[in-house]
Amino acid sequence: MMATSKAVMSSLTHLRPLTCAASSSSSSSSSYPARLVPYPPDLIKWVTREGGFVHPAVKISHHHSNGLGLVANQQIPRGTDLIILPDHIPLRFGSSQSDSRDTVDSVLAQLARQVPEELWAMKLGLKLLQERAKVGSFWWPYISNLPETYSVPIFFPGEDIRNLQYAPLLHQVNKRCRFLLDFEQEVKRTLVNLTPDKHPFGGLEVHASSLGWAMAAVSSRAFRLYGNKGPDGVHIEVPMMLPLIDMCNHSFSPNARIVQEQDTDNTKVQVKVVAEMEIKEDDPLLLNYGRLSNDFFLLDYGFVIHSNPYDCIELKYDGALLDAASMAAGVSSPNFSAPAPWQELILSQLNLAGEAPDLKVTIGGEEIVEGRLLAALRVLLASNVETAQNYDLNALKSLSAEAPLGVANDIAVFRTLIALCVIALGHFPTKIMDDEALLKQGASGSTELAIQFRIQKKSVIVDVMRNLSRRVKLLSSKETVTAEG
């Protein structure tokens, strides 16, 4: 039986080893990698043949700034349905179009249970790998159109992982790489001695590289939408791959959005892309992937957004570090590492002290300074104990609140934060000017992405420093006016 299966497998053009090459360092970030097969089926024709709808004005095309994606070839009015996928076209974990084999599905489910929730993309990735290996898979026309390589950091050469220069992202990349290596062994242990008919991947060998390819394909293309209702009557969030829809590129100012609609008997859900505004000829179709930092965009999607308004820097709340920053800023009597009991109580309310504190704080993004960090500094630099103790915690956490503990207090807080930013910048081995010079020399591929990423991280810190410096200047002028008055 095994010999017959191998003969059948070798005769099928779409069955190839489940491998993935590392992303090429020579490809530019704007180019699109080769697909799994040289001449894949027409995706638009496949979607419409399977009962879906694609507006005649929608085409797959290379766009000068967005790469390969969906583009309008004529003007499309606002509110127009652009794409409609019936319930059976999205690829979900557990969805099956053909002979559902209980043994195979249970093996896949067993493997999926080993995947931590934070790496949800790997669970759906297992289903994707299964369909990639399956002879005559319903989704083969879609899968064959997927990129052969991905530009996410798990495929970066070691040097370019180090080139990221940012410890929180390095930690995530290393964690994912370790998981893939460990999971490869788990998969091999689970599949050993299985015959091809009971093997979820048709007897093909699965390596860390193929698992990484599947996880990257899902993390960069899947959407977390609502599936059927659970026992409590509430819709369950389900990750799913949406053929063709996942070729819409990202924008924080999208011209289209995803809508889910149930059919008349409430058993099936169709997924639609609707024009949010009038779309002009040659405009790309753009969806908002979410208000994400560049960490997530690079880690999951393989690109970096310039001047991302949601990008931020992760810091550890550390009393000794804040004492050093405060002294460097010329702020007298810092006591971050030895707070008074009343201050310790407020720090506990901010979850920065106590039994299981969350010491991860951020600067940048929409808040500019995370509220918990701002409140902690205001309280720890407060000169008037009674005022600080009786103040509303939400006001202390707000940057828009006008000096809740006095102008002098806010000046000391902002100067300490500026010094903290200087220390954070010093942790990067290169300066922005050095990075920009490297890009001008012609860095490409993963090297270019790593340099772009660290430039944006440093730019976040510089922008926060400028913002806080303006606030210090404004408050100092108010303090001068008050003193003169």
Side-chain angles (χ1 to χ4, degrees), residues 196-260:
D197 59 312
K198 294 181 179 177
H199 195 292
F201 310 111
L204 295 177
E205 199 168 351
V206 173
H207 299 283
S209 67
S210 49
L211 292 168
W213 174 87
M215 187 165 75
V218 172
S219 73
S220 64
R221 304 178 81 91
F223 295 82
R224 294 175 74 102
L225 303 177
Y226 293 107
N228 295 326
K229 291 181 180 178
D232 55 1
V234 178
H235 282 287
I236 301 169
E237 192 180 64
V238 178
M240 54 184 84
M241 299 189 79
L242 305 178
L244 196 64
I245 289 177
D246 61 14
M247 295 189 76
C248 293
N249 283 303
H250 164 78
S251 173
F252 289 128
S253 304
N255 56 18
R257 65 188 171 99
I258 290 181
V259 177
Q260 285 182 271

Side-chain angles (χ1 to χ4, degrees), residues 83 186 255:
I83 303 169
E186 181 64 36
N255 56 18

Side-chain angles (χ1 to χ4, degrees), residues 295-314:
D295 301 49
F296 285 104
F297 279 121
L298 184 57
L299 199 60
D300 286 343
Y301 296 94
F303 60 79
V304 173
I305 292 183
H306 182 74
S307 302
N308 179 352
Y310 307 104
D311 203 12
C312 57
I313 291 285
E314 186 181 307

Side-chain angles (χ1 to χ4, degrees), residues 23 36 87 93 99 152 173 176 244 259 271 333 338-339 351 353 412 484:
S23 57
L36 279 186
D87 190 72
F93 187 83
D99 54 330
V152 292
V173 175
R176 290 190 180 196
L244 196 64
V259 177
V271 182
S333 308
N351 200 21
E484 289 175 352

Side-chain angles (χ1 to χ4, degrees), residues 71-392:
V71 175
N73 60 17
Q74 64 185 58
Q75 187 171 302
I76 303 174
R78 179 185 176 184
T80 302
D81 287 345
L82 302 171
I83 303 169
I84 303 176
L85 298 184
D87 190 72
H88 65 281
I89 288 184
L91 177 61
R92 312 169 182 83
F93 187 83
S95 55
S96 180
Q97 274 299 325
S98 57
D99 54 330
S100 175
R101 297 169 290 172
D102 293 341
T103 308
V104 171
D105 289 347
S106 67
V107 172
L108 209 65
Q110 180 186 339
L111 289 172
R113 283 193 289 271
Q114 311 301 315
V115 178
E117 182 54 39
E118 65 178 298
L119 297 179
W120 59 269
M122 186 71 264
K123 181 176 176 179
L124 181 53
L126 289 169
K127 176 66 179 177
L128 176 64
L129 269 189
Q130 181 189 37
E131 294 299 329
R132 178 177 166 179
K134 187 185 291 184
V135 176
S137 166
F138 169 78
W139 285 281
W140 177 246
Y142 164 62
I143 294 169
S144 63
N145 273 279
L146 293 177
E148 191 174 30
T149 61
Y150 286 94
S151 56
V152 292
I154 58 169
F155 292 119
F156 282 15
E159 185 183 353
D160 284 335
I161 293 177
R162 290 188 292 275
N163 279 337
L164 294 166
Q165 298 184 354
Y166 180 60
L169 188 68
L170 290 172
H171 172 72
Q172 289 298 326
V173 175
N174 290 328
K175 191 160 97 173
R176 290 190 180 196
C177 290
R178 279 196 306 271
F179 165 76
L180 288 168
L181 291 170
D182 292 342
F183 195 48
E184 174 188 43
Q185 298 308 312
E186 181 64 36
V187 171
K188 286 180 175 176
R189 279 192 296 271
T190 304
L191 303 183
V192 70
N193 298 327
L194 285 181
T195 55
D197 59 312
K198 294 181 179 177
H199 195 292
F201 310 111
L204 295 177
E205 199 168 351
V206 173
H207 299 283
S209 67
S210 49
L211 292 168
W213 174 87
M215 187 165 75
V218 172
S219 73
S220 64
R221 304 178 81 91
F223 295 82
R224 294 175 74 102
L225 303 177
Y226 293 107
N228 295 326
K229 291 181 180 178
D232 55 1
V234 178
H235 282 287
I236 301 169
E237 192 180 64
V238 178
M240 54 184 84
M241 299 189 79
L242 305 178
L244 196 64
I245 289 177
D246 61 14
M247 295 189 76
C248 293
N249 283 303
H250 164 78
S251 173
F252 289 128
S253 304
N255 56 18
R257 65 188 171 99
I258 290 181
V259 177
Q260 285 182 271
E261 289 183 355
Q262 286 197 311
D263 61 13
T264 50
D265 60 3
N266 286 330
T267 58
K268 294 182 178 177
V269 179
Q270 63 178 14
V271 182
K272 301 167 67 170
V273 176
V274 180
E276 277 275 77
M277 58 184 72
E278 182 184 280
I279 300 173
K280 296 182 172 63
E281 185 177 356
D282 293 330
D283 278 359
L285 304 192
L286 302 170
L287 296 171
N288 188 343
Y289 293 178
R291 297 179 170 186
L292 305 173
S293 72
N294 275 337
D295 301 49
F296 285 104
F297 279 121
L298 184 57
L299 199 60
D300 286 343
Y301 296 94
F303 60 79
V304 173
I305 292 183
H306 182 74
S307 302
N308 179 352
Y310 307 104
D311 203 12
C312 57
I313 291 285
E314 186 181 307
L315 302 170
K316 183 182 178 184
Y317 180 86
D318 180 277
L321 176 64
L322 289 168
D323 279 343
S326 214
M327 286 188 281
V331 174
S332 59
S333 308
N335 58 343
F336 293 102
S337 39
W342 69 272
Q343 292 171 324
E344 189 83 25
L345 184 64
I346 296 176
L347 288 176
S348 296
Q349 292 172 342
L350 294 168
N351 200 21
L352 291 171
E355 286 187 13
D358 175 11
L359 300 179
K360 185 178 78 174
V361 291
T362 59
I363 59 169
E366 290 183 285
E367 281 190 290
I368 302 172
V369 178
E370 186 185 323
R372 295 187 310 136
L373 176 61
L374 182 61
L377 265 65
R378 279 171 166 165
V379 167
L380 289 165
L381 291 173
S383 55
N384 188 321
V385 176
E386 192 175 331
T387 306
Q389 279 181 300
N390 295 327
Y391 222 92
D392 174 44

